[in-house]
Amino acid sequence: MTFVNTIFTSRLLSFRRPQNISPTADHVTREQLVTSRLGRFAQIPASEIFALEPTWSPLGLTEEAAAEILKQHGQNIPVAERPLAALSTLWTALWNPFNVLLTVLACVNIATQDVATFVVMMVMVVASTGLRYWQEMKSMVQALKLVRSIVTRVRVVRRVNGISQELEVDQKLIVPGDVIAVASGDVFPGDCVLISSEALAIAQASLTGELMPIDKTIRLVAASESDAFHLLNNDNVCLSGTSASAGNGRAIVISTGKDTYMAGIAEELNRKRPENAIQVGIRKVSYVLMGFMAVMAPIVFIVQGAVSHDWKGAIMFAIAIAVGITPEMLPMIVTSNLALSAVRIARKNVIVKRFDAIQNLGAVKVLCSDKTGTLTVDLVSVSKSVTDSGEDSGLPIKLAYINSLLQTGTRSPIDRAIVDYMHANEKGSVAGDGHQDSWQKHGEVPFDSTRRLLSILVSRLSTDGEGLFITKGAVEEVLERCTSVYRQQQRSFSASSSDFKLERTAYTTLTEDDRRAILDTSKRLNEEGLRLVAVACKCATVKQFMTINTADEEDLVFIGFVSFLDPLKPDAADAIKELSKLNVQVRILTGDAPAVAGKVARDLGLLDTRNVILKSKKADEEAVGAISEADLIVTGPQLAELSKDQDAFAEAVERAVIFAKLSPYQKLEVVKALRAGDGGRAVAFLGDGVNDALAIRGADVGISVDSGTEIAKEAADVILLEKSLGVVALGVVQGRITLLNTVKYIKMACSSNFGNVFSVLVASAWLPYQPMLPLQLLVQNLLYDFSQGSIPWDNVDPEYLETPRTWSALSIIRFMICLGPFSSPFDIVVFCINWFYYGIRTANSPLVPLAQTNWFLEGSLTQLFIIQFLRTGKTPFIQSRASLPVVLVTFGMACVSMAIPYIPKVSSALQMRPPHPEFYAYLVGIIAAYACVVHMVKVLYQMTFKEWL
């Protein structure tokens, strides 16, 4: 090997891995692996690519080489179809702490011949398991949706019998090393690097959110070692699933099948979904209840058995206590709450795919949203037409309209926007002045990505020999070909003006100062988030059979700019304000440019320091005030650098409002970081593209829109059928109502059960008989649960809807411990009445059923009445009223409780007897005193802990 060859080989090897990726990193993400593989070929000149792989050739692979590579890499299928793991999914759905608890208790009940309780508990388990199983099975097929979006036939260059030929083959047979030919409309079958390009533009909005096609060209010189390689922000890489919107070219396929960037997204979607905030909360609460039951049931068994010496009866009583502690109606309450909320928001054309997503919406503290198609309408439209100094003028749009209307090449989104804008504003003379029939085209120089210009020569039908040469294109390229600038008169040129004559007296020589001023105007407009097209023209003589070429694009007169934007959805700003009132922070995560995203955020009022969340708890108003607007914007490359320092990364994520130029994986990482911040918070993500699918699935609540890609809608928990962001705010409110009503149940049930356990412990240590039979305790618990079945229809005080809510095991434990024991003194009062007033002091006393009935009534009525006090932090009946269903159901259950001792067959089965009339006087006093005590405790509790529900 010669010295020159040695240098050349070492030069190539230095590009095997992009500079910003460490080869010794312990954990390399899928995105980094794809970046490393493509960077090896993308950072060197196109002419040197084939030197890296000896079997590759610009003339194409041989059939034998292609077959061998196909054996090695497999078919070009992004997601391999594999059998659905139905049994493992079923096991995952079944293995839930609450399901296990109910199943164990159900088995104990059937062993003791309590069939009714067994059936109720198993129905709850089956319903909960079935719903979760259906959800998991559906999510497993999400990734397969990507396969449908890939092209099936591809033009590939292959060597057949030593002759290079262009063939059309099934995309499944494309292999790394294949040279493919692409033209407008073709989809790239794998991750590719360009080796030739003729005005090639690529549409990659599904991956980056960039509305406009991106110009792509080949690399002519090697990248320097300091140049970082960005997978989604480069000139010569075309990823699988993106398409050519204009031009043509050839590319070398680097990765196919499961090794592509798109397949990495599909693989990530196929993984087990992380627990959301509500699931974590429910799991913690379930563990608390299980632990509480595991401690209290044995204590009751030992105390009751030691006092009564009836160990068999003590076992039954301990089982009844275990069942009583468990809020077995929780699945029904949760399901009813979710179903009711789903019906309510379904009326607003919102599909809820996962029921628990409604509760998660109520817990959301941060809403992350993609920009294109969610906050904006996903359509290029004309913003304004201005002069070289930025003043409004109709002349640039008029000339651009003639250019776009008469050009015969592929009409770009820019051309369509100009034509649509002018047609929408046609009035009187516009149709006659700018209509195609009023102008005749004599020549055209088509657009290409090198010149970035499009020029036409036109003349009016009514004129002879006088023509107009109109050029539009990129600002720098147009300005470079101009020698004059058109200074408009005091009267602004109107787009509808029939007088279309350019005054030569308005021409002034274009000086260097003028050029700098024009570029400054361009920069200022770009910083406002506007995309610009420059317009220039010159008078020309039209001759028969004449032609024009690029040499004619000189000595032009600079006219001005036409600016474009993707306008906001009409209700976006109002929806953002409504979310702000609900204390939901909004963040924009997009693959688009920072200036464009900043324009959207500015118009929505998001670039406000009040939206800042600092990671440090020491943050104060002074620290927030020191943050500038620039500090609220962070880009994907900046995050990539910060990822080396986790604290710095977390700080940037907490501070930023706009995340621009993000890859799909970076969107997911930002969502994960936001979820982990502040000790764990609920995060929602709103998006509609393939690039959003990972973040949608990684969020606590994934939201998509009806116009989104199939994969985004499959990954989402909620789909908006109407493009109205206002329903997101409505969903947040409904989610909080659902969550609060569920928390009402769990807190009331747990505190009541906890108080009953204290009462039972006192009774077990004091009374020689069971204070209540196991069957009586279960009936009482069932009546209480039925009364709480109306909770989903209850009203919620408005102030509780102002902040995000989630399940908190600590809050439930605190509520249970602080409120539960206050029912026990009143239970003890009943024990004392039975002991001292009625003289029931032995297990053989014939009045034992009376004592049990007295406690049954007192426990049932106090539990039912106290619902009115526990459901709100305010004064019941005066400051806050329960809904009519709650009032009717609780009153009905109270009547049933009082009627049971008087129904012969029922009272006989439950071994009860009617209470003495004077007991009702005691009962009224007990209930009134209990209500007063609970209300005082409630006031002190809220003063101490600053919360109630």
Side-chain angles (χ1 to χ4, degrees), residues 629-673:
E629 185 175 292
D631 295 327
L632 303 181
I633 303 175
V634 66
T635 65
Q638 290 172 340
L639 286 180
E641 289 297 320
L642 291 173
S643 63
K644 302 169 185 176
D645 183 345
Q646 299 218 346
D647 289 339
F649 182 88
E651 184 74 41
V653 169
E654 293 289 312
R655 182 189 66 246
V657 173
I658 299 172
F659 299 85
K661 285 292 180 184
L662 295 185
S663 71
Y665 287 93
Q666 286 179 319
K667 287 186 177 184
L668 176 60
E669 291 304 314
V670 170
V671 168
K672 287 181 177 178

Short mmCIF file of all heavy atoms in Angstrom, two decimals, residues 629-673:
data_model
loop_
_atom_site.label_atom_id
_atom_site.label_comp_id
_atom_site.label_asym_id
_atom_site.label_seq_id
_atom_site.Cartn_x
_atom_site.Cartn_y
_atom_site.Cartn_z
N GLU A 629 -36.26 35.60 26.53
CA GLU A 629 -37.03 34.77 25.60
C GLU A 629 -36.16 33.71 24.96
O GLU A 629 -36.60 32.59 24.72
CB GLU A 629 -37.66 35.68 24.54
CG GLU A 629 -38.58 34.94 23.58
CD GLU A 629 -39.27 35.88 22.62
OE1 GLU A 629 -40.11 36.68 23.06
OE2 GLU A 629 -38.96 35.81 21.41
N ALA A 630 -34.91 34.05 24.68
CA ALA A 630 -33.99 33.09 24.07
C ALA A 630 -33.74 31.90 24.98
O ALA A 630 -33.50 30.78 24.51
CB ALA A 630 -32.67 33.78 23.72
N ASP A 631 -33.79 32.12 26.29
CA ASP A 631 -33.58 31.02 27.25
C ASP A 631 -34.72 30.01 27.23
O ASP A 631 -34.57 28.90 27.74
CB ASP A 631 -33.42 31.57 28.66
CG ASP A 631 -32.17 32.42 28.82
OD1 ASP A 631 -31.17 32.09 28.15
OD2 ASP A 631 -32.19 33.39 29.58
N LEU A 632 -35.86 30.42 26.67
CA LEU A 632 -37.03 29.54 26.66
C LEU A 632 -37.06 28.64 25.44
O LEU A 632 -37.99 27.86 25.27
CB LEU A 632 -38.32 30.38 26.72
CG LEU A 632 -38.45 31.33 27.90
CD1 LEU A 632 -39.78 32.07 27.83
CD2 LEU A 632 -38.34 30.57 29.22
N ILE A 633 -36.05 28.76 24.57
CA ILE A 633 -35.99 27.97 23.34
C ILE A 633 -34.74 27.11 23.37
O ILE A 633 -33.64 27.59 23.62
CB ILE A 633 -35.97 28.87 22.09
CG1 ILE A 633 -37.20 29.79 22.08
CG2 ILE A 633 -35.93 28.03 20.83
CD1 ILE A 633 -37.19 30.80 20.94
N VAL A 634 -34.91 25.82 23.11
CA VAL A 634 -33.77 24.90 23.05
C VAL A 634 -33.95 24.02 21.82
O VAL A 634 -35.07 23.67 21.45
CB VAL A 634 -33.66 24.06 24.34
CG1 VAL A 634 -34.85 23.13 24.50
CG2 VAL A 634 -32.36 23.26 24.36
N THR A 635 -32.86 23.66 21.16
CA THR A 635 -32.91 22.87 19.94
C THR A 635 -32.42 21.45 20.19
O THR A 635 -31.78 21.16 21.21
CB THR A 635 -32.07 23.51 18.84
OG1 THR A 635 -30.69 23.49 19.23
CG2 THR A 635 -32.51 24.94 18.57
N GLY A 636 -32.72 20.59 19.23
CA GLY A 636 -32.29 19.20 19.33
C GLY A 636 -30.79 19.04 19.46
O GLY A 636 -30.31 18.30 20.33
N PRO A 637 -30.00 19.70 18.62
CA PRO A 637 -28.54 19.60 18.78
C PRO A 637 -28.06 20.06 20.15
O PRO A 637 -27.13 19.48 20.71
CB PRO A 637 -28.01 20.52 17.65
CG PRO A 637 -29.07 20.47 16.60
CD PRO A 637 -30.36 20.39 17.36
N GLN A 638 -28.68 21.09 20.70
CA GLN A 638 -28.29 21.56 22.03
C GLN A 638 -28.61 20.50 23.08
O GLN A 638 -27.82 20.25 24.00
CB GLN A 638 -29.01 22.87 22.36
CG GLN A 638 -28.53 24.06 21.55
CD GLN A 638 -29.40 25.29 21.75
OE1 GLN A 638 -30.54 25.19 22.18
NE2 GLN A 638 -28.86 26.46 21.42
N LEU A 639 -29.76 19.86 22.95
CA LEU A 639 -30.12 18.79 23.89
C LEU A 639 -29.17 17.60 23.76
O LEU A 639 -28.85 16.94 24.75
CB LEU A 639 -31.56 18.33 23.65
CG LEU A 639 -32.67 19.27 24.14
CD1 LEU A 639 -34.03 18.67 23.82
CD2 LEU A 639 -32.56 19.51 25.64
N ALA A 640 -28.74 17.33 22.52
CA ALA A 640 -27.80 16.23 22.32
C ALA A 640 -26.50 16.47 23.08
O ALA A 640 -25.92 15.55 23.66
CB ALA A 640 -27.53 16.05 20.83
N GLU A 641 -26.04 17.73 23.08
CA GLU A 641 -24.84 18.07 23.84
C GLU A 641 -25.09 17.98 25.34
O GLU A 641 -24.25 17.51 26.10
CB GLU A 641 -24.37 19.48 23.45
CG GLU A 641 -23.78 19.58 22.06
CD GLU A 641 -22.53 18.75 21.90
OE1 GLU A 641 -21.71 18.71 22.86
OE2 GLU A 641 -22.36 18.11 20.85
N LEU A 642 -26.26 18.43 25.76
CA LEU A 642 -26.58 18.43 27.19
C LEU A 642 -26.82 17.04 27.74
O LEU A 642 -26.78 16.83 28.95
CB LEU A 642 -27.81 19.31 27.45
CG LEU A 642 -27.63 20.81 27.26
CD1 LEU A 642 -28.97 21.52 27.39
CD2 LEU A 642 -26.65 21.38 28.28
N SER A 643 -27.12 16.08 26.85
CA SER A 643 -27.43 14.73 27.32
C SER A 643 -26.25 14.07 28.03
O SER A 643 -26.41 13.10 28.75
CB SER A 643 -27.87 13.85 26.15
OG SER A 643 -26.83 13.72 25.20
N LYS A 644 -25.06 14.63 27.84
CA LYS A 644 -23.89 14.10 28.55
C LYS A 644 -23.91 14.46 30.03
O LYS A 644 -23.25 13.82 30.84
CB LYS A 644 -22.62 14.64 27.90
CG LYS A 644 -22.50 14.29 26.41
CD LYS A 644 -21.37 15.05 25.75
CE LYS A 644 -21.35 14.80 24.24
NZ LYS A 644 -20.32 15.60 23.55
N ASP A 645 -24.68 15.50 30.36
CA ASP A 645 -24.81 15.94 31.76
C ASP A 645 -26.30 15.90 32.11
O ASP A 645 -27.06 16.76 31.71
CB ASP A 645 -24.26 17.35 31.91
CG ASP A 645 -24.30 17.85 33.36
OD1 ASP A 645 -25.00 17.21 34.19
OD2 ASP A 645 -23.65 18.86 33.66
N GLN A 646 -26.71 14.89 32.87
CA GLN A 646 -28.13 14.68 33.13
C GLN A 646 -28.76 15.84 33.89
O GLN A 646 -29.91 16.20 33.64
CB GLN A 646 -28.33 13.36 33.90
CG GLN A 646 -27.86 12.16 33.15
CD GLN A 646 -28.77 10.96 33.35
OE1 GLN A 646 -29.60 10.95 34.24
NE2 GLN A 646 -28.59 9.96 32.52
N ASP A 647 -28.03 16.42 34.81
CA ASP A 647 -28.57 17.55 35.57
C ASP A 647 -28.81 18.75 34.66
O ASP A 647 -29.84 19.43 34.76
CB ASP A 647 -27.63 17.93 36.71
CG ASP A 647 -27.62 16.89 37.82
OD1 ASP A 647 -28.60 16.13 37.91
OD2 ASP A 647 -26.64 16.83 38.58
N ALA A 648 -27.85 19.02 33.78
CA ALA A 648 -27.99 20.14 32.85
C ALA A 648 -29.14 19.87 31.87
O ALA A 648 -29.90 20.78 31.52
CB ALA A 648 -26.69 20.37 32.09
N PHE A 649 -29.26 18.62 31.45
CA PHE A 649 -30.35 18.25 30.54
C PHE A 649 -31.71 18.47 31.21
O PHE A 649 -32.62 19.07 30.62
CB PHE A 649 -30.20 16.78 30.14
CG PHE A 649 -31.22 16.29 29.16
CD1 PHE A 649 -31.02 16.41 27.79
CD2 PHE A 649 -32.40 15.71 29.59
CE1 PHE A 649 -31.97 15.97 26.89
CE2 PHE A 649 -33.36 15.26 28.71
CZ PHE A 649 -33.13 15.38 27.34
N ALA A 650 -31.83 18.01 32.45
CA ALA A 650 -33.08 18.16 33.18
C ALA A 650 -33.41 19.63 33.42
O ALA A 650 -34.56 20.05 33.31
CB ALA A 650 -33.01 17.41 34.51
N GLU A 651 -32.38 20.43 33.73
CA GLU A 651 -32.58 21.86 33.96
C GLU A 651 -33.09 22.54 32.69
O GLU A 651 -34.01 23.38 32.72
CB GLU A 651 -31.27 22.50 34.41
CG GLU A 651 -31.38 23.97 34.79
CD GLU A 651 -32.06 24.18 36.12
OE1 GLU A 651 -31.80 23.41 37.07
OE2 GLU A 651 -32.87 25.11 36.20
N ALA A 652 -32.49 22.18 31.54
CA ALA A 652 -32.91 22.77 30.27
C ALA A 652 -34.34 22.38 29.91
O ALA A 652 -35.12 23.20 29.43
CB ALA A 652 -31.95 22.34 29.16
N VAL A 653 -34.68 21.14 30.15
CA VAL A 653 -36.03 20.66 29.84
C VAL A 653 -37.06 21.35 30.72
O VAL A 653 -38.14 21.74 30.26
CB VAL A 653 -36.11 19.13 30.01
CG1 VAL A 653 -37.56 18.65 29.97
CG2 VAL A 653 -35.31 18.43 28.92
N GLU A 654 -36.73 21.54 31.99
CA GLU A 654 -37.66 22.20 32.90
C GLU A 654 -37.86 23.67 32.53
O GLU A 654 -38.96 24.21 32.64
CB GLU A 654 -37.13 22.13 34.34
CG GLU A 654 -37.10 20.72 34.92
CD GLU A 654 -38.49 20.21 35.21
OE1 GLU A 654 -39.28 20.92 35.83
OE2 GLU A 654 -38.80 19.08 34.78
N ARG A 655 -36.81 24.32 32.03
CA ARG A 655 -36.87 25.75 31.75
C ARG A 655 -37.51 26.05 30.41
O ARG A 655 -38.26 27.03 30.28
CB ARG A 655 -35.45 26.33 31.78
CG ARG A 655 -35.39 27.84 31.55
CD ARG A 655 -33.97 28.32 31.36
NE ARG A 655 -33.37 27.81 30.14
CZ ARG A 655 -32.35 26.98 30.08
NH1 ARG A 655 -31.78 26.54 31.19
NH2 ARG A 655 -31.86 26.56 28.93
N ALA A 656 -37.23 25.26 29.39
CA ALA A 656 -37.61 25.60 28.02
C ALA A 656 -39.11 25.49 27.80
O ALA A 656 -39.80 24.66 28.40
CB ALA A 656 -36.86 24.71 27.04
N VAL A 657 -39.61 26.33 26.91
CA VAL A 657 -41.00 26.31 26.49
C VAL A 657 -41.11 25.75 25.07
O VAL A 657 -42.05 25.08 24.72
CB VAL A 657 -41.62 27.72 26.55
CG1 VAL A 657 -43.02 27.74 25.96
CG2 VAL A 657 -41.65 28.22 28.00
N ILE A 658 -40.08 26.05 24.25
CA ILE A 658 -40.05 25.58 22.87
C ILE A 658 -38.87 24.62 22.69
O ILE A 658 -37.74 24.95 23.05
CB ILE A 658 -39.91 26.75 21.88
CG1 ILE A 658 -41.10 27.69 22.00
CG2 ILE A 658 -39.80 26.25 20.45
CD1 ILE A 658 -40.94 28.96 21.20
N PHE A 659 -39.15 23.46 22.11
CA PHE A 659 -38.12 22.49 21.77
C PHE A 659 -38.18 22.33 20.25
O PHE A 659 -39.13 21.75 19.72
CB PHE A 659 -38.36 21.17 22.46
CG PHE A 659 -38.35 21.26 23.97
CD1 PHE A 659 -39.49 21.61 24.67
CD2 PHE A 659 -37.19 21.00 24.68
CE1 PHE A 659 -39.50 21.69 26.05
CE2 PHE A 659 -37.18 21.09 26.07
CZ PHE A 659 -38.33 21.44 26.75
N ALA A 660 -37.17 22.85 19.54
CA ALA A 660 -37.19 22.86 18.08
C ALA A 660 -36.12 21.92 17.53
O ALA A 660 -35.18 21.53 18.22
CB ALA A 660 -36.95 24.28 17.56
N LYS A 661 -36.31 21.53 16.26
CA LYS A 661 -35.38 20.64 15.57
C LYS A 661 -35.16 19.35 16.35
O LYS A 661 -34.03 18.84 16.45
CB LYS A 661 -34.04 21.36 15.34
CG LYS A 661 -34.06 22.40 14.23
CD LYS A 661 -34.24 21.76 12.87
CE LYS A 661 -34.26 22.77 11.73
NZ LYS A 661 -34.52 22.12 10.43
N LEU A 662 -36.23 18.81 16.90
CA LEU A 662 -36.13 17.56 17.66
C LEU A 662 -36.35 16.36 16.76
O LEU A 662 -37.18 16.40 15.85
CB LEU A 662 -37.18 17.53 18.78
CG LEU A 662 -37.08 18.55 19.91
CD1 LEU A 662 -38.14 18.24 20.96
CD2 LEU A 662 -35.70 18.57 20.53
N SER A 663 -35.64 15.30 17.02
CA SER A 663 -35.91 14.02 16.37
C SER A 663 -37.03 13.32 17.14
O SER A 663 -37.34 13.70 18.28
CB SER A 663 -34.66 13.15 16.37
OG SER A 663 -34.38 12.68 17.68
N PRO A 664 -37.65 12.30 16.57
CA PRO A 664 -38.69 11.58 17.30
C PRO A 664 -38.21 11.03 18.65
O PRO A 664 -38.95 11.05 19.63
CB PRO A 664 -39.08 10.44 16.34
CG PRO A 664 -38.79 11.00 14.98
CD PRO A 664 -37.56 11.84 15.16
N TYR A 665 -36.96 10.55 18.68
CA TYR A 665 -36.44 10.01 19.93
C TYR A 665 -36.21 11.12 20.96
O TYR A 665 -36.40 10.91 22.16
CB TYR A 665 -35.12 9.25 19.68
CG TYR A 665 -35.31 7.93 18.98
CD1 TYR A 665 -35.24 7.83 17.61
CD2 TYR A 665 -35.58 6.79 19.71
CE1 TYR A 665 -35.41 6.62 16.96
CE2 TYR A 665 -35.75 5.56 19.08
CZ TYR A 665 -35.67 5.49 17.70
OH TYR A 665 -35.86 4.29 17.07
N GLN A 666 -35.80 12.28 20.49
CA GLN A 666 -35.61 13.38 21.43
C GLN A 666 -36.93 13.87 22.00
O GLN A 666 -37.00 14.27 23.16
CB GLN A 666 -34.88 14.53 20.72
CG GLN A 666 -33.40 14.27 20.49
CD GLN A 666 -32.71 15.41 19.78
OE1 GLN A 666 -33.26 16.01 18.86
NE2 GLN A 666 -31.49 15.71 20.20
N LYS A 667 -37.98 13.83 21.21
CA LYS A 667 -39.30 14.17 21.74
C LYS A 667 -39.66 13.23 22.89
O LYS A 667 -40.18 13.65 23.93
CB LYS A 667 -40.36 14.09 20.64
CG LYS A 667 -40.30 15.21 19.62
CD LYS A 667 -41.48 15.15 18.66
CE LYS A 667 -41.45 16.31 17.68
NZ LYS A 667 -42.61 16.33 16.79
N LEU A 668 -39.38 11.95 22.69
CA LEU A 668 -39.66 10.97 23.74
C LEU A 668 -38.83 11.25 24.98
O LEU A 668 -39.34 11.17 26.11
CB LEU A 668 -39.39 9.55 23.22
CG LEU A 668 -39.53 8.41 24.22
CD1 LEU A 668 -40.95 8.35 24.77
CD2 LEU A 668 -39.15 7.08 23.59
N GLU A 669 -37.55 11.58 24.80
CA GLU A 669 -36.68 11.86 25.95
C GLU A 669 -37.15 13.09 26.71
O GLU A 669 -37.09 13.13 27.94
CB GLU A 669 -35.23 12.04 25.47
CG GLU A 669 -34.58 10.77 24.97
CD GLU A 669 -34.61 9.65 25.99
OE1 GLU A 669 -34.30 9.91 27.16
OE2 GLU A 669 -34.96 8.52 25.62
N VAL A 670 -37.61 14.10 26.00
CA VAL A 670 -38.12 15.31 26.66
C VAL A 670 -39.36 14.97 27.48
O VAL A 670 -39.51 15.42 28.64
CB VAL A 670 -38.44 16.41 25.63
CG1 VAL A 670 -39.20 17.56 26.29
CG2 VAL A 670 -37.15 16.93 25.01
N VAL A 671 -40.25 14.16 26.91
CA VAL A 671 -41.46 13.75 27.64
C VAL A 671 -41.08 12.97 28.89
O VAL A 671 -41.63 13.19 29.98
CB VAL A 671 -42.37 12.92 26.73
CG1 VAL A 671 -43.47 12.24 27.55
CG2 VAL A 671 -43.01 13.79 25.66
N LYS A 672 -40.11 12.07 28.77
CA LYS A 672 -39.67 11.29 29.93
C LYS A 672 -39.08 12.20 31.01
O LYS A 672 -39.34 12.02 32.20
CB LYS A 672 -38.62 10.25 29.50
CG LYS A 672 -39.19 9.07 28.72
CD LYS A 672 -38.07 8.10 28.36
CE LYS A 672 -38.60 6.88 27.64
NZ LYS A 672 -37.50 5.94 27.25
N ALA A 673 -38.28 13.18 30.58
CA ALA A 673 -37.67 14.09 31.55
C ALA A 673 -38.72 14.94 32.26
O ALA A 673 -38.63 15.17 33.47
CB ALA A 673 -36.66 14.99 30.84
#
